[in-house]
Amino acid sequence: MASSHSSSPVPQSKSSDAFFKKEADATKRFRPVQSLPDVCPKEPTGNPNSLHESPSLVVDQQRWTIYHSKVNLPAALNDPRLAKRESDFFTKTWGVDFVDTEVTPSFYLPQITKEHFASYQQEITPREKVHERCKNICTPKDTFDRTLLHTHDKSRTDLEQVPKIFMKPDFALEDSLTFNAVLPWSHFSTAGGKGNRDAASSKLLQEKLSHYLDIVEVNIAHQISLRSEAFFHAMTSQHELQDYLRKTSQAVKLLREKISKIDKVMCEGSLRVLRLSLTRNNCIKAYNKLKLMATVHQTQPTVQLLLSTSEYVGALDLIATTQEVLQQELQGIHSFRHLGSQLCELEKLIDKMMIAEFSTYARNDLNRPLEDDCQILEEERLVSLVFGLLKQRKLNFYEIYGDEMINTAKNIIKQCVVNTVSQIEEIDTEVVVKLADQMRMMNFPQWFDLLKNIFSKFTIFLKRVKATLNTIRSVVFLVLDKNQKTRDLEDTLQKDSAKESLVDSEVAYLTHEGMFISDAFGDGELAAGAADSASQRNTSPNSEPCSSDSVSEPECATDSSSSKEHTSSSVTPGGVDMMIGEDMKLTDLELGRLANNIQELLYNASDICHDRSVKFLMARAKDGFLEKLNSNEFVTLSRLMEGFILDTEQICGRKSMSLRGALQSQANRFVNRFHEERKTKLSLLLDNERWKQAEVPAEFQDLVDSVSDGRISLPEKKPTATEERKPAEFLIVEGQKYATVGTVLLLIRIILEYCQCVDNIPSITTDMLTRLSDLLKYFNSRSCQLVLGAGALQVVGLKTITTKNLALSSRCLQLIVHYIPIIRAHFEARLQPKQFSMLRHFDHITKDYHDHIAEISAKLVAIMDSLFDKLLSKYEVKAPVPSACFRNICKQMAKMHEAIYDLLPEEQTQMLFLRINASYKLHLKRQLAHLNVVNDGGPLNGLVTSDVAFYTGNLQALKGLNNLDLNMAEIWEQKR
C-alpha cells in the first residue's frame, strides 16, 4: 500500500535497497546482541515497547522481557528428543515433551479487522493521488541520478580511449621519448613505393589525434556545463569584491591624508630632535673611540714602567684589558694589527720574570740570617708575585719554594757543624778533611750543644716558612672569597635583569632610520656618564685603557667584558691593597687544591727538618756513639729530641714520624743495653751474695722514703754533711722493719732506675715494662736456685744453707712484693688503655714471689720436721724428767727462734712456730702410739705430761710466743 512521507511510520528511502538497509540499521539500533537468559514460565506482560529496552535495575524486577530467556533458538529447534521436526513449532506450548495443544488466544491482543483501517484509508487516499500526479510531472531523482551515472560512465569510457601519456603531469613534446611515443616516425619512410602508405598512416594518425582532441573538448564542455552555476556565481561575487576594494582604497587614501597632516603637525619636529640626538651621540662615540685609541697606544710604555717597579699584577691587568679592547671595541683598526701579538709576547716575558723573581725571593727569604725574627721578607713584594702567578695560572710555583727549602735545610746543618768545629781546638781541620769525620771527633757535650743549636735553627726556619706560606695561603683564600662574592653578585644581577625584562617587554617603541627610540634615549642618558667613566679610567693608578663603560654601540652594550671590569680592593695580610679583577678565572676546586698543596708544603718542611736531623744522628751513631751513652746522657738527648718534635708539631700542626722513629730505634737499643747492664750487674751481685743481713746506708733509706711519699724517682745527691749518718740495721718501709741483703738494696735502686727512665723517655714504657718483668723474674728464679736449691754452696762457697739464710731470703722477697703494686701503678699511669693487658706480667710475678715465700716457709718447717722425726723416734718414757730428747728439742727450737725472730715479723714467726708445733705434735703422737702410752693417769702418762709441760714452758718462754696456743692435748689418741 502506497503511503506519503508524513504518514509512514518508517522513513522512506529513494530505493527499495535503501528501505531494507534502513530496517537492518534499526534492528541493530534497537536489538543489541546479548546472551539469552533462562526461560521464564510466565507470559510476557507489560508494554510491548519494553522489548526494545535494555535490562535496567531501576525497572520492576518482576516484569518479563526477552532477556529473561535462558535457551537460545538453535538449541530448541535441534532438540534430539523429538522424532521429527514440527512445522508448527511456534504453536506449541513450551514444555519437556512438546505435546500438541491448542494455543489460547491472548487476551492482551485485540481482534483487528478492516474497519480499524478505514479512517487511515480515508486520510491517505487524497495524499496518494497528489503524489502520483507529482511523480508523473517530475522525473524521479533516482532516474536523474541513474542518467547522470550513465553519462559519467560513458565519459569515463571515452577518456579511457585517450592514451595515458597525454594525462601525465610532466607531458612535454620537447622530450624526445615523449615526442617519439606520440609521433611514431618508424611508420614513415621516404623509400620509393611506400609514399601512399605513409600518407595514409599520417592521415590516420591525424584523425586519431583529432578524435582524442574531440573527446577531451567534449568532456571539458560537459564539466563546464555541470559547473556553470558556480561559474556565474563567482562572476557575480567578483563584481561585489571590486566594489569593496574601491571603497577600501578610498578609505585608505583618506587615512593617509590624515596621517600626513598629523606627521607634519606632531611628529616631524620630535623626530628631528631624535635625529640630532643620535648624531650627537655618534660624535661622542667617535671622540671616545679616538681617545681610547690614544690610551691603547700608550700601553707598552706603561707596562714597561710597571715592570720596572715589579707591579706584575698591574702590568698583566693592563695587558689583559688592552687585549680585550682590541678584540671588541678596536677590532679591525689597521694601525693596531700587530699590537695584539706584541702584547702576547710581552705577557710570556712577564711569566718568566715572575717565576725568576719568585725563585730569587724564596732564596733570599730562606737564606737570610737565622735570627730570632720571623717577620716576612718584603711582604708586599710577595703578595704582588703571588697575585701575578695566580692570574697567569702558574699554580705550581710552590714547588720552587719546596726545592729551596730542601737546600736551605742542608745548608743549616752544614753551617752549624762548620761553626762548631771551628771553635774546637782539639779538631785539626787540615788533618781531618771530611765534615762528618770532624763531627765524630766531638765528645758528647760538644755534640749535644751542636744538636741543640741545629734544632733551634730548624725551629726558627720552620716558623719563617710557616709565616711565608700563611701569607701565600691568605692570598689564595682572598681570591677564593672574591670568586664567591662575584657569583653572589651575578645571581643578584640576573634576578634583577629578569624583573626588568618583564617591564621592558611592555614598552612600545618606534623605529626611525634603523634605530630604536629607546636606544636613542638610553644613549642620550649615558652620554654624560660615559665621559666621566672614561676620564676616571684614564687617570687610574694602573692606567687601564678600558673605556667601554662609556657610550657603546647598542648592539654591543650587552655584557661586554670591558664594561664588566668590576674590581674589588681588599687589604691583604701584608697591608697592601690589591685589585682582583674578574679575569682571574680560577675555579674553587683549583684554589682549594692549591691551598691544600701549600699547607702540605708546610708539612713537608717539617718532614725535611726531621729527615736531615735523622741523617745527622745516623752519621754520629756510625761508631756506636749513641749506644755508649749513659742513662743521664741518653735521657738528656731524648728530652731534647722530644722537645724539638713537639715544637715542630706545634708549628706545623702535624706529626712527623722520621725523627720520632729514629729516637724510638735508638731508645730500643738503649733499653737493650740498659737492661743487659743491669741484669749482668744483678747476676754478679747474686753470684757473690753470701745471704747475710747487710747494713742499710742512709742513702738507701732516703730512697725508700721518697717512694713512700708517692714519688718514684731517684733522689738527688745531697752534699755530704759534716756528720755522716751511720748505716741502719734494718730498712724501714712504712713503719715495718725489713732485714735485707745488699743485693736487694741495689735491686730496689735498679727498679727505681727503670721507673725513672720511663718518666724521662715515655716512648719506651712498654719495652721497659717487659724488661723490668724479666729482671724481677730473673731475681726470683736465681735467688731460688741459690738458697732453696743450695746453689750458693758451690757459687759462693757457703758451708750450708741455714735457717737464717732462708728467713732472710723470704724477707727480701717480701720487700720486693711490697713494691710490685707501686711499680704497677706507676706503669699503668703511663700506658695507653689498649696496653693495659701488659700489666698482667706483674700479677704473674706477684704469684711467683708468693709461691717462693711459701716454699721457704715450708722448707723451714721441713727442717724442724726432720729434726723431730729423728729425735722423737728414739724417745723413751722414763726418768729423769725432762728427758734428754725434750731438752734437745727445746734447744733446737730456741736456736730456730733466735735465727728468725729478728728477720721475720712477729706474726709470721708465730705462724711459722704454729706449723712447727703441729709437726712436733704429729711426731710425738705417733711415737706415743708406738710406745702404747695412753692418757690414763698412770705413771707413764705422768712422765709424758711432765716432758710436754717442759716443752710448752720453754716454747712459750721464747720472745713473742708467750700467747701462742699450742693445744698439746692433741698428742693423745681420742677414746672411742
Side-chain angles (χ1 to χ4, degrees):
M1 181 178 62
S3 62
S4 65
H5 294 285
S6 60
S7 62
S8 177
V10 179
Q12 296 291 328
S13 178
K14 302 302 181 292
S15 63
S16 61
D17 295 338
F19 175 80
F20 291 109
K21 290 180 181 178
K22 192 70 176 178
E23 287 295 314
D25 294 339
T27 304
K28 290 181 181 179
R29 183 172 69 253
F30 293 108
R31 297 178 183 269
V33 178
Q34 295 187 9
S35 62
L36 298 177
D38 292 335
V39 177
C40 181
K42 294 182 179 181
E43 292 291 334
T45 59
N47 189 2
N49 294 330
S50 62
L51 299 176
H52 302 286
E53 296 177 358
S54 300
S56 175
L57 296 174
V58 181
V59 185
D60 185 10
Q61 297 296 319
Q62 300 301 325
R63 187 178 59 182
W64 188 94
T65 64
I66 62 172
Y67 299 107
H68 289 82
S69 176
K70 296 296 179 68
V71 179
N72 57 1
L73 188 58
L77 294 176
N78 297 318
D79 190 352
R81 293 174 293 180
L82 296 180
K84 62 177 181 175
R85 294 290 179 91
E86 298 289 344
S87 60
D88 54 351
F89 170 78
F90 290 103
T91 63
K92 300 291 184 179
T93 300
W94 193 267
V96 179
D97 298 326
F98 288 86
V99 180
D100 292 339
T101 57
E102 293 182 2
V103 178
T104 305
S106 175
F107 56 87
Y108 291 104
L109 298 178
Q111 295 293 329
I112 303 300
T113 60
K114 290 185 178 181
E115 285 75 10
H116 288 86
F117 297 96
S119 60
Y120 173 74
Q121 287 178 349
Q122 292 175 3
E123 181 183 357
I124 205 65
T125 299
R127 295 181 183 180
E128 184 180 4
K129 293 179 180 179
V130 174
H131 174 68
E132 291 295 334
R133 285 197 303 270
C134 291
K135 186 167 61 173
N136 294 330
I137 295 172
C138 298
T139 304
K141 192 172 182 180
D142 54 352
T143 307
F144 174 77
D145 291 342
R146 283 195 293 273
T147 304
L148 183 61
L149 182 61
H150 175 71
T151 305
H152 178 69
D153 293 340
K154 183 179 180 182
S155 298
R156 171 173 287 185
T157 304
D158 294 339
L159 285 176
E160 287 178 353
Q161 298 177 9
V162 180
K164 299 297 182 181
I165 190 172
F166 294 102
M167 302 301 178
K168 291 183 178 180
D170 56 347
F171 176 79
L173 288 176
E174 292 83 359
D175 188 5
S176 59
L177 297 178
T178 304
F179 186 81
N180 292 330
V182 175
L183 300 174
W185 291 103
S186 60
H187 293 255
F188 303 98
S189 174
T190 57
K194 296 182 180 180
N196 295 330
R197 187 187 304 173
D198 294 341
S201 299
S202 61
K203 186 176 181 180
L204 179 62
L205 178 62
Q206 185 176 2
E207 291 177 356
K208 186 185 295 185
L209 294 176
S210 299
H211 178 64
Y212 294 161
L213 179 62
D214 293 340
I215 292 173
V216 172
E217 288 178 351
V218 168
N219 279 276
I220 290 174
H222 178 67
Q223 293 296 329
I224 291 174
S225 65
L226 292 177
R227 291 168 175 77
S228 59
E229 184 178 356
F231 175 75
F232 288 114
H233 178 71
M235 294 299 296
T236 305
S237 301
Q238 180 70 20
H239 292 302
E240 294 178 358
L241 182 62
Q242 289 179 355
D243 293 340
Y244 290 152
L245 288 176
R246 184 170 57 257
K247 293 179 182 178
T248 303
S249 177
Q250 293 175 358
V252 169
K253 183 177 180 181
L254 180 62
L255 178 61
R256 285 183 176 178
E257 291 176 356
K258 292 182 180 180
I259 290 175
S260 178
K261 293 179 182 179
I262 293 173
D263 180 51
K264 291 180 180 179
V265 175
M266 302 181 63
C267 300
E268 189 172 320
S270 301
L271 291 175
R272 185 170 178 272
V273 171
L274 292 177
R275 191 178 302 108
L276 292 176
S277 177
L278 289 174
T279 304
R280 178 177 177 274
N281 289 337
N282 290 333
C283 293
I284 291 174
K285 292 177 184 177
Y287 169 74
N288 289 333
K289 190 76 70 175
L290 292 173
K291 189 164 61 173
L292 181 61
M293 293 175 62
T295 304
V296 170
H297 185 67
Q298 297 297 322
T299 297
Q300 288 179 317
T302 307
V303 169
Q304 294 176 358
L305 180 62
L306 291 173
L307 293 179
S308 63
T309 58
S310 299
E311 287 290 339
Y312 298 106
V313 178
L316 290 172
D317 286 340
L318 181 58
I319 292 174
T321 306
T322 305
Q323 291 277 27
E324 194 174 344
V325 172
L326 288 175
Q327 293 175 2
Q328 294 184 5
E329 301 184 23
L330 299 181
Q331 187 176 9
I333 296 180
H334 186 72
S335 59
F336 289 151
R337 64 186 183 278
H338 299 304
L339 183 58
S341 59
Q342 293 173 358
L343 292 178
C344 289
E345 294 297 328
L346 189 59
E347 187 174 1
K348 295 179 181 178
L349 178 62
I350 292 175
D351 290 348
K352 297 179 180 179
M353 291 177 63
M354 285 192 300
I355 293 175
E357 184 75 12
F358 185 78
S359 300
T360 304
Y361 174 85
R363 192 178 304 109
N364 295 337
D365 178 49
L366 296 175
N367 291 328
R368 57 191 166 125
L370 288 171
E371 301 173 356
D372 195 9
D373 181 14
C374 296
Q375 295 299 324
I376 303 174
L377 179 66
E378 299 180 8
E379 185 177 3
E380 295 82 0
R381 176 186 172 193
L382 174 62
V383 172
S384 176
L385 281 172
V386 174
F387 270 118
L389 292 169
L390 292 178
K391 187 177 182 65
Q392 294 303 104
R393 300 181 64 85
K394 303 295 182 182
L395 302 182
N396 58 344
F397 65 91
Y398 63 90
E399 296 177 358
I400 300 173
Y401 199 84
D403 296 338
E404 196 61 39
M405 285 192 311
I406 297 175
N407 297 329
T408 304
K410 295 179 181 178
N411 294 333
I412 287 175
I413 293 181
K414 184 176 180 181
Q415 191 62 38
C416 289
V417 173
V418 170
N419 293 339
T420 304
V421 168
S422 62
Q423 297 175 3
I424 300 176
E425 298 178 355
E426 292 82 0
I427 301 176
D428 189 356
T429 56
E430 295 181 357
V431 178
V432 183
V433 180
K434 291 185 178 180
L435 201 61
D437 296 337
Q438 296 173 2
M439 179 193 65
R440 293 190 187 97
M441 297 179 65
M442 301 178 187
N443 54 28
F444 178 76
Q446 295 170 345
W447 181 81
F448 182 79
D449 292 338
L450 172 60
L451 182 62
K452 187 175 181 180
N453 185 27
I454 291 174
F455 284 166
S456 63
K457 297 293 184 183
F458 274 154
T459 303
I460 299 173
F461 168 74
L462 288 176
K463 290 180 180 178
R464 184 173 295 172
V465 170
K466 181 180 181 180
T468 303
L469 294 181
N470 282 343
T471 302
I472 297 175
R473 289 184 79 228
S474 300
V475 173
V476 175
F477 287 138
L478 194 65
V479 176
L480 188 62
D481 184 61
K482 175 61 180 177
N483 287 352
Q484 183 65 35
K485 291 181 180 178
T486 303
R487 283 197 301 273
D488 295 342
L489 181 61
E490 289 177 353
D491 294 340
T492 305
L493 293 176
Q494 188 175 3
K495 293 179 181 178
D496 295 341
S497 63
K499 294 179 181 178
E500 292 176 359
S501 63
L502 296 176
V503 179
D504 294 341
S505 62
E506 299 176 0
V507 178
Y509 50 85
L510 299 175
T511 58
H512 181 71
E513 293 183 357
M515 297 295 294
F516 291 115
I517 292 179
S518 58
D519 292 339
F521 278 116
D523 291 342
E525 292 173 357
L526 294 174
D532 295 340
S533 62
S535 62
Q536 291 176 2
R537 184 165 42 252
N538 292 332
T539 58
S540 63
N542 294 334
S543 301
E544 298 177 357
C546 178
S547 63
S548 63
D549 288 343
S550 63
V551 179
S552 60
E553 294 293 334
E555 61 273 10
C556 298
T558 58
D559 201 17
S560 173
S561 58
S562 58
S563 65
K564 285 167 57 181
E565 186 192 356
H566 303 292
T567 56
S568 173
S569 63
S570 59
V571 181
T572 62
V576 182
D577 293 340
M578 301 299 300
M579 304 297 290
I580 308 174
E582 286 188 357
D583 53 353
M584 192 175 291
K585 299 299 182 182
L586 291 173
T587 63
D588 293 350
L589 181 61
E590 291 175 334
L591 292 172
R593 188 183 297 114
L594 178 60
N596 292 335
N597 291 335
I598 294 172
Q599 183 63 34
E600 192 67 27
L601 188 62
L602 179 61
Y603 300 152
N604 293 340
S606 175
D607 294 339
I608 290 170
C609 293
H610 282 235
D611 293 341
R612 302 311 304 179
S613 300
V614 169
K615 290 184 178 180
F616 179 76
L617 288 173
M618 294 299 103
R620 188 65 182 91
K622 280 187 177 180
D623 54 354
F625 173 76
L626 298 179
E627 298 179 5
K628 298 176 183 178
L629 300 179
N630 57 37
S631 300
N632 294 331
E633 290 174 344
F634 188 83
V635 167
T636 305
L637 175 62
S638 176
R639 287 179 176 176
L640 176 64
M641 294 174 67
E642 286 286 351
F644 176 69
I645 291 172
L646 293 177
D647 290 341
T648 56
E649 289 179 3
Q650 185 177 5
I651 294 172
C652 301
R654 192 178 73 172
K655 294 181 179 181
S656 295
M657 303 307 298
S658 57
L659 185 59
R660 193 182 296 273
L663 176 60
Q664 185 65 38
S665 177
Q666 292 298 327
N668 292 337
R669 296 177 184 176
F670 168 75
V671 167
N672 292 333
R673 184 181 56 82
F674 179 88
H675 178 64
E676 292 299 329
E677 287 180 356
R678 278 145 186 80
K679 189 174 181 180
T680 303
K681 182 178 180 180
L682 179 60
S683 178
L684 293 175
L685 290 174
L686 287 173
D687 290 344
N688 295 307
E689 181 60 56
R690 303 190 66 86
W691 297 100
K692 292 183 178 180
Q693 183 177 358
E695 294 181 343
V696 181
E699 58 177 329
F700 284 97
Q701 185 61 54
D702 295 338
L703 185 65
V704 171
D705 294 340
S706 65
V707 176
S708 301
D709 295 338
R711 294 179 293 105
I712 300 183
S713 60
L714 296 175
E716 298 179 358
K717 292 185 178 180
K718 299 179 181 179
T720 55
T722 54
E723 296 182 0
E724 294 184 358
R725 292 181 294 171
K726 296 180 179 180
E729 186 177 2
F730 296 96
L731 184 66
I732 309 300
V733 180
E734 296 182 0
Q736 291 189 16
K737 293 181 179 181
Y738 284 90
T740 62
V741 296
T743 301
V744 174
L745 293 176
L746 294 174
L747 177 60
I748 292 174
R749 184 179 183 86
I750 291 173
I751 291 173
L752 296 183
E753 288 177 354
Y754 275 82
C755 296
Q756 182 70 32
C757 196
V758 168
D759 289 338
N760 296 330
I761 313 174
S763 60
I764 62 174
T765 302
T766 55
D767 291 339
M768 277 296 183
L769 189 150
T770 305
R771 301 301 195 282
L772 181 57
S773 301
D774 180 65
L775 187 72
L776 293 176
K777 291 178 181 178
Y778 176 76
F779 173 76
N780 184 42
S781 61
R782 187 59 179 162
S783 61
C784 182
Q785 293 173 3
L786 292 173
V787 180
L788 279 177
L793 299 179
Q794 291 80 19
V795 175
V796 185
L798 295 180
K799 295 181 180 180
T800 182
I801 301 298
T802 64
T803 56
K804 193 168 187 177
N805 298 139
L806 293 172
L808 187 59
S809 176
S810 176
R811 195 56 173 161
C812 291
L813 293 174
Q814 293 174 21
L815 177 61
I816 301 300
V817 170
H818 173 77
Y819 281 107
I820 288 178
I822 301 174
I823 300 170
R824 175 194 172 100
H826 180 80
F827 277 91
E828 184 176 3
R830 287 151 183 81
L831 286 175
Q832 298 295 329
K834 61 182 179 181
Q835 299 172 338
F836 284 168
S837 60
M838 299 185 67
L839 296 174
R840 68 181 185 277
H841 293 300
F842 291 112
D843 300 334
H844 298 161
I845 292 170
T846 303
K847 182 178 180 301
D848 293 341
Y849 272 66
H850 282 302
D851 293 342
H852 190 183
I853 294 170
E855 289 177 4
I856 293 176
S857 299
K859 184 64 175 178
L860 292 173
V861 174
I863 292 173
M864 296 305 295
D865 184 77
S866 62
L867 179 65
F868 294 150
D869 183 54
K870 180 181 178 181
L871 294 178
L872 290 176
S873 63
K874 300 178 182 179
Y875 174 63
E876 296 179 356
V877 183
K878 61 179 181 178
V881 179
S883 62
C885 177
F886 273 78
R887 289 175 184 271
N888 198 2
I889 289 174
C890 291
K891 181 180 179 181
Q892 294 299 327
M893 294 285 280
K895 287 182 179 181
M896 169 68 78
H897 181 269
E898 182 182 0
I900 68 173
Y901 181 77
D902 293 333
L903 302 178
L904 298 178
E906 185 175 342
E907 296 80 3
Q908 293 184 20
T909 304
Q910 291 178 358
M911 292 299 298
L912 181 61
F913 273 90
L914 282 176
R915 294 177 62 186
I916 293 172
N917 180 59
S919 176
Y920 162 76
K921 290 190 292 183
L922 181 62
H923 286 282
L924 180 59
K925 181 178 182 180
R926 187 182 302 128
Q927 183 63 22
L928 292 177
H930 177 68
L931 297 176
N932 294 322
V933 179
V934 295
N935 189 11
D936 56 357
L940 295 177
N941 178 259
L943 293 174
V944 173
T945 302
S946 299
D947 286 337
V948 171
F950 174 77
Y951 164 80
T952 303
N954 279 276
L955 187 58
Q956 291 181 343
L958 297 177
K959 189 175 181 181
L961 303 179
N962 52 349
N963 295 326
L964 200 64
D965 186 11
L966 301 180
N967 193 13
M968 298 305 295
E970 294 180 353
I971 64 175
W972 304 107
E973 288 287 345
Q974 297 295 329
K975 294 181 180 180
R976 297 181 181 179

